[in-house]
Amino acid sequence: MWKQGHGDATAIIWEGNSPDEDKTFTYSELLAQVKRFANVLKAQGIRKGDRVCIYLQMVPELTIAMLACARIGAVHSVVFGAFSADSLRDRINDSECKLLITQDTAFRGDRSGIPMKANGDAAVAKCPSITGVIVVRRTGDSVDFDESRDVWWHEAMATADDECPPEEMDAEDPLFILYTSGSTGQPKGVLHTTGGYLVYTSFTHEIVFDYHEGDVYFCAADIGWITGHSYIVYGPLSNRAITLMFESIPTYPDFGRYWQVIDKHQVNLFYTAPTALRALMKEGNDWVTQHSRSTLRLLGTVGEPIKEPEWLWYYNIVGDGRCPIVDTWWQTETGGILMTPLPGATPLKPGSATLPFFGIEPVILDEEGKEVEGNPARGYLCIKTAWPGVMRTVYGNHERFRETYFDRFPGYYMTGDGTLRDEDGYYWITGRVDDVLNISGHRLGTAEVEGAIGQHETVAEAAVVGYPHEIKGQGIYAYVTLMSGVSPSDDIETGIKGVVRQYIGPHATPDKIQFAPALPQNPLRQNYAAHPSLVDGRK
Ligand code: PRX
């Protein structure tokens, strides 16, 4: 965060769940809050290198807490607010966080009372490393409060000192951990470091979004995922940008919310995911055209392949045919954007992330790991040389880092994506080539969902695959074999969906369950039964 000489400039515009609620923070105000909260962390015994878990919805305190950790060299681990208590517990335990920061309850669209603190309590009950819980009062709903452990954010802030010098950090010191799903086992703690990550996110944010001083930039992602870390918080704020944080959903109170927010705050640059575009596109153009959107200059997309119909709708209807679209391809592991058009300079093709960013060397490998030369080409997308934002390790398990990304094709970073390179050298990402699903832009491992389904008392075995879904991009299709003597029923189906919500979260709920008397056995395929870590003691 760079305040000098720009203290009065706006840093964050926060748009609440209700269209009537918003707030802005200047750089000076943000810095003051960050320093105070850094002192609150210190008072809780948090020191450089300690891990702090942040389980919040899109409230301003989320950004403040992340930056306060960075200020004192603590390593934050943000857990997406829709994850269940069990998922939260596993993530806290994996990186032995000392502190949890959460909120009383949350709003999301027309839902209220989302039990954040209650989930936090349930998780922390099985987290021996946690010594304190800080609670943001967002809704005012009453929640259980353990006086010996819990502290209200506003009370701690009221008495905190307002000076806090930043900790000196080495470029390679850890900045944060963010868990992401892989093809096997438990989600991995992707570790990003201080120097390279900040260089890479600020540079890509400036160039890819053509950011100029005074532009209002709105990335509609959730900070619980990498897009929010890199392109709501770290990239924009290190560029002294005006970054918009959005607490609500695109369909609340109606299908025009994004475009209403864009007019309300005079947004110039807008970045979202294809899944949101598909959901809005099917509701018709009037929701868009009743808002002016005249301030828009550039549109971005991320998270999944965008298909031509939604690309054209975005370009022609949302952007009135005058805003370039940057289709940005990247991953939690890459820290920032690796493939993207440069706005105004790269001729666009709907559905293609076009060409690599400066310094990025993508290659296409065949089954044997040989580089496929010439165009067109198709195969495994790998990267040949490192870049500043690449993850440095899997937290606590460097061997897993090596195995996952570098073993299959020695000398290359394996992305896990397949790609096509056309006759012009443009890349078309075809999706994951491993057992990772992309559900509405949310990354989930088939093994995780299988493990959760296996928690239902009637289930003998499960196999999960993705299938094309009109809105979500991919849906979850689960084949389930029940214990002998148990017959399929609607109750069992509802129960299975319930355990998946309980063990992972609502975003992992299977769309379709097919009961099958047996599943094909492939000894190479690992299902939940092969992952004791996923079932340990829960059945
Ligand atoms: O399959 C690719 C897809 O999302 C995966 C990475 O997911 P995650 O780590 O959650 O990060 C998402 C936000 C950066 C990739 O392996 N993906 C991401 N962006 C694109 C994409 N697929 C096609 N086109 C994109 N622009």
Side-chain angles (χ1 to χ4, degrees):
M1 186 169 37
W2 189 8
K3 173 204 151 236
Q4 240 164 9
H6 287 260
D8 294 336
T10 302
I12 296 177
I13 299 173
W14 176 78
E15 169 79 11
N17 189 52
S18 149
D20 303 326
E21 202 180 0
D22 58 28
K23 235 188 247 181
T24 62
F25 294 78
T26 64
Y27 273 87
S28 293
E29 287 163 348
L30 179 59
L31 179 59
Q33 299 260 330
V34 167
K35 285 181 182 168
R36 273 177 177 265
F37 193 64
N39 285 324
V40 171
L41 292 174
K42 283 187 182 168
Q44 289 282 321
I46 302 301
R47 300 284 174 266
K48 181 174 178 173
D50 289 342
R51 276 80 57 212
V52 172
C53 180
I54 307 178
Y55 179 64
L56 289 169
Q57 299 281 343
M58 290 286 285
V59 290
E61 289 84 352
L62 170 51
T63 302
I64 294 165
M66 290 165 76
L67 296 176
C69 287
R71 192 165 187 85
I72 63 167
V75 181
H76 58 71
S77 167
V78 177
V79 175
F80 177 50
F83 274 118
S84 67
D86 286 63
S87 293
L88 176 63
R89 175 202 61 203
D90 291 347
R91 285 159 175 74
I92 292 174
N93 284 337
D94 185 74
S95 44
E96 297 178 308
C97 296
K98 277 176 111 170
L99 190 72
L100 172 68
I101 303 166
T102 187
Q103 64 189 76
D104 46 6
T105 60
F107 305 114
R108 203 160 159 72
D110 53 16
R111 289 172 58 213
S112 59
I114 298 169
M116 304 292 291
K117 171 70 163 61
N119 284 348
D121 287 343
V124 164
K126 293 184 191 139
C127 297
S129 58
I130 290 283
T131 54
V133 177
I134 297 182
V135 190
V136 174
R137 181 171 280 160
R138 167 65 185 114
T139 62
D141 286 347
S142 79
V143 289
D144 287 345
F145 204 82
D146 173 351
E147 298 289 344
S148 68
R149 183 199 65 190
D150 302 343
V151 173
W152 284 109
W153 173 290
H154 58 278
E155 287 180 4
M157 288 289 267
T159 54
D161 200 65
D162 51 18
E163 265 321 311
C164 176
E167 183 71 41
E168 212 167 281
M169 302 295 284
D170 186 90
E172 287 300 303
D173 280 338
L175 178 62
F176 67 83
I177 299 166
L178 184 59
Y179 284 86
T180 194
S181 298
S183 36
T184 57
Q186 295 277 25
K188 298 181 280 284
V190 168
L191 186 119
H192 283 288
T193 52
T194 307
Y197 175 83
L198 284 175
V199 165
Y200 200 69
T201 53
S202 64
F203 185 54
T204 47
H205 174 260
E206 181 184 343
I207 301 296
V208 174
F209 298 101
D210 188 29
Y211 191 85
H212 289 272
E213 192 172 341
D215 283 343
V216 179
Y217 162 85
F218 173 14
C219 167
D222 192 293
I223 294 175
W225 305 106
I226 192 69
T227 305
H229 279 60
S230 301
Y231 297 112
I232 297 177
V233 179
Y234 285 110
L237 291 176
S238 52
N239 288 339
R240 283 200 208 120
I242 304 171
T243 184
L244 196 149
M245 270 182 85
F246 180 50
E247 188 188 31
S248 195
I249 54 173
T251 52
Y252 179 78
D254 62 42
F255 301 111
R257 184 68 186 279
Y258 276 165
W259 328 121
Q260 178 256 331
V261 171
I262 285 169
D263 281 358
K264 178 179 176 188
H265 298 293
Q266 303 282 287
V267 170
N268 307 107
L269 316 166
F270 178 62
Y271 191 30
T272 190
T275 192
L277 299 175
R278 288 191 293 265
L280 297 175
M281 187 169 94
K282 77 172 181 20
E283 302 301 331
N285 297 349
D286 289 353
W287 294 108
V288 185
T289 53
Q290 65 186 242
H291 302 280
S292 137
R293 295 154 289 112
S294 60
T295 50
L296 278 179
R297 201 178 79 226
L298 176 143
L299 303 170
T301 153
V302 60
E304 349 144 40
I306 183 167
K307 289 187 215 75
E308 188 162 322
E310 60 255 22
W311 194 100
L312 290 173
W313 184 78
Y314 201 23
Y315 186 80
N316 290 319
I317 307 300
V318 175
D320 281 330
R322 55 180 179 76
C323 304
I325 294 180
V326 288
D327 176 354
T328 63
W329 171 83
W330 57 294
Q331 309 178 298
T332 306
E333 295 89 336
T334 70
I337 295 164
L338 294 197
M339 211 115 53
T340 177
L342 297 176
T346 310
L348 304 175
K349 294 190 190 187
S352 168
T354 73
L355 298 166
F357 189 72
F358 308 142
I360 305 301
E361 285 190 76
V363 288
I364 295 183
L365 300 186
D366 64 14
E367 287 293 339
E368 278 74 51
K370 258 188 46 233
E371 287 184 29
V372 185
E373 309 279 353
N375 297 328
R378 182 192 267 277
Y380 296 101
L381 176 61
C382 294
I383 315 287
K384 205 168 173 170
T385 47
W387 61 98
V390 65
M391 70 184 283
R392 298 301 197 267
T393 191
V394 170
Y395 185 81
N397 196 345
H398 199 64
E399 184 53 23
R400 191 168 173 203
F401 176 53
R402 202 177 52 75
E403 269 170 21
T404 310
Y405 303 101
F406 304 100
D407 262 12
R408 167 96 201 259
F409 301 120
Y412 299 92
Y413 166 79
M414 186 177 80
T415 67
D417 280 332
T419 193
L420 200 114
R421 192 171 55 213
D422 71 13
E423 46 295 335
D424 297 324
Y426 274 39
Y427 287 85
W428 300 73
I429 309 297
T430 50
R432 302 289 306 195
V433 292
D434 53 10
D435 288 329
V436 171
L437 305 172
N438 193 329
I439 313 296
S440 301
H442 297 156
R443 185 165 155 180
L444 280 168
T446 52
E448 277 172 89
V449 184
E450 288 163 1
I453 293 174
Q455 300 306 307
H456 194 266
E457 67 227 9
T458 63
V459 172
E461 205 172 14
V464 162
V465 291
Y467 73 99
H469 187 285
E470 200 194 336
I471 303 297
K472 300 175 172 185
Q474 260 188 328
I476 299 180
Y477 199 112
Y479 297 90
V480 174
T481 303
L482 298 175
M483 303 275 191
S484 59
V486 182
S487 307
S489 69
D490 289 350
D491 276 356
I492 292 182
E493 186 166 335
T494 311
I496 289 173
K497 290 183 176 174
V499 292
V500 175
R501 284 197 198 96
Q502 184 195 335
Y503 285 104
I504 306 178
H507 58 294
T509 312
D511 298 279
K512 293 191 179 159
I513 294 181
Q514 180 173 333
F515 293 104
L519 298 178
Q521 296 297 317
N522 174 352
L524 293 176
R525 178 169 162 73
Q526 306 191 327
N527 63 27
Y528 74 91
H531 291 288
S533 64
L534 283 172
V535 290
D536 89 66
R538 292 190 217 152
K539 193 148 179 176

